Amino acid sequence: MGNIISVHSFRGGTGKSNTTANIGCSLAILGYRVGIVDTDIQSPGIHVLFGLESEDTEHALNDYLWGRCDITDVARDVSHLLTSHNQPDKGSIFLIPSSLKTSEITRVLREGYDVGLLNDGFQQLLQGLDLDFLMIDTHPGLNEETLLSITVSDALVLILRPDRQDFQGTAVTVDVARQLDVPKMVLVANKVPAVFNKDSLKQQIESTYSVPVAGVLPVCEEMFQLGSSDIFCLRYPDHPYSLVIRSIVQHLLD
């Protein structure tokens, strides 16, 4: 049975989906079978990074949650992105997107869904796709879905920016994760300006939360230029950002 890794942030705009996609692809490059689930059903978007449009997906996670299909029917094999960027064709990566249709999003907001089905779906994906890792791109903040994702995770990656609001919100999430006995928890500082001393920031964060910092990701112009049109570490494998992503992956594997 594979491992579940949840990637979470207390606030939106931290770059959580980008980080999830880059960690997932970096694991696949190493030869692992990786699934990525977009459980940010209210504001989905990670599919854009993998070049998918809403009309490209026959099924979405919403269809599984409302009993229209099996969750494995939602999975899209996007492993071709590895070879298209001249990366070793060792592992595989599957994307389980949420629907971008307005009617589907408003139904979620109006009616909700059975959160308990998510855990069943996670286990079916691990078994049905023979995954080594299942990554969960969560909805920001703390709600029922997020708590479930944290509870069933083997590892939790918390993303924060060097911002006082992020620091306070992350403290709440760390406390909740400890109460839920998450086996492994790491922090990742993202969108860190070049003027910051990264070593000092790392020490400050670790001292504040008593949680290891797996990486400090810099602000980079190339990320803005890419505009969510590709996976950064595949497009720029030797960029300092990509090197930090690989160090985060190694931290998770350790």
Side-chain angles (χ1 to χ4, degrees):
M1 183 68 74
N3 291 319
I4 296 177
I5 302 174
S6 285
V7 183
H8 183 63
S9 62
F10 188 80
R11 300 173 66 221
T14 59
K16 174 175 54 62
S17 294
N18 256 302
T19 306
T20 303
N22 279 281
I23 290 175
C25 286
S26 296
L27 283 166
I29 289 171
L30 294 176
Y32 294 104
R33 292 178 63 85
V34 181
I36 297 178
V37 185
D38 187 355
T39 64
D40 191 357
I41 301 174
Q42 296 90 333
S43 52
I46 198 170
H47 62 279
V48 175
L49 295 165
F50 289 90
L52 296 180
E53 302 292 341
S54 57
E55 58 268 21
D56 295 333
T57 56
E58 181 179 356
H59 296 296
L61 181 62
N62 311 58
D63 296 306
Y64 162 71
L65 293 173
W66 291 323
R68 300 170 182 163
C69 67
D70 293 332
I71 195 166
T72 50
D73 294 332
V74 183
R76 291 287 304 269
D77 189 340
V78 289
S79 307
H80 64 277
L81 290 177
L82 304 179
T83 52
S84 68
H85 287 82
N86 298 317
Q87 296 295 336
D89 187 15
K90 293 182 178 179
S92 301
I93 189 156
F94 301 87
L95 180 65
I96 298 85
S98 286
S99 176
L100 199 61
K101 296 178 182 177
T102 303
S103 59
E104 301 284 271
I105 295 174
T106 53
R107 179 178 174 182
V108 167
L109 296 174
R110 184 176 63 250
E111 302 177 15
Y113 57 92
D114 182 359
V115 174
L117 284 173
L118 277 176
N119 186 39
D120 296 337
F122 296 157
Q123 302 307 317
Q124 291 169 28
L125 287 169
L126 285 168
Q127 295 177 13
L129 300 178
D130 191 25
L131 298 178
D132 298 300
F133 294 97
L134 179 64
M135 302 196 64
I136 304 172
D137 184 18
T138 67
H139 183 67
L142 291 175
N143 55 26
E144 190 177 1
E145 167 265 308
T146 299
L147 292 175
L148 170 69
S149 299
I150 293 175
T151 301
V152 302
S153 294
D154 298 288
L156 173 64
V157 179
L158 290 176
I159 313 293
L160 74 160
R161 294 163 297 188
D163 175 276
R164 290 189 64 185
Q165 292 185 61
D166 277 20
F167 269 57
Q168 292 182 10
T170 299
V172 175
T173 311
V174 167
D175 186 51
V176 169
R178 286 200 172 106
Q179 293 182 42
L180 295 174
D181 293 325
V182 178
K184 183 170 188 172
M185 177 167 44
V186 298
L187 294 169
V188 172
N190 195 19
K191 301 185 179 181
V192 177
V195 295
F196 277 62
N197 183 304
K198 294 180 176 57
D199 290 334
S200 296
L201 178 63
K202 180 176 183 290
Q203 291 174 8
Q204 179 189 357
I205 294 173
E206 290 182 336
S207 174
T208 300
Y209 304 108
S210 298
V211 175
V213 172
V216 177
L217 291 165
V219 171
C220 55
E221 187 67 27
E222 295 89 344
M223 180 71 78
F224 293 116
Q225 293 173 354
L226 202 56
S228 298
S229 63
D230 202 352
I231 309 297
F232 191 91
C233 69
L234 297 181
R235 178 74 70 90
Y236 303 105
D238 299 320
H239 191 280
Y241 178 98
S242 302
L243 299 181
V244 176
I245 287 289
R246 291 206 285 273
S247 73
I248 295 170
V249 166
Q250 192 56 54
H251 201 109
L252 291 170
L253 293 175
D254 291 340

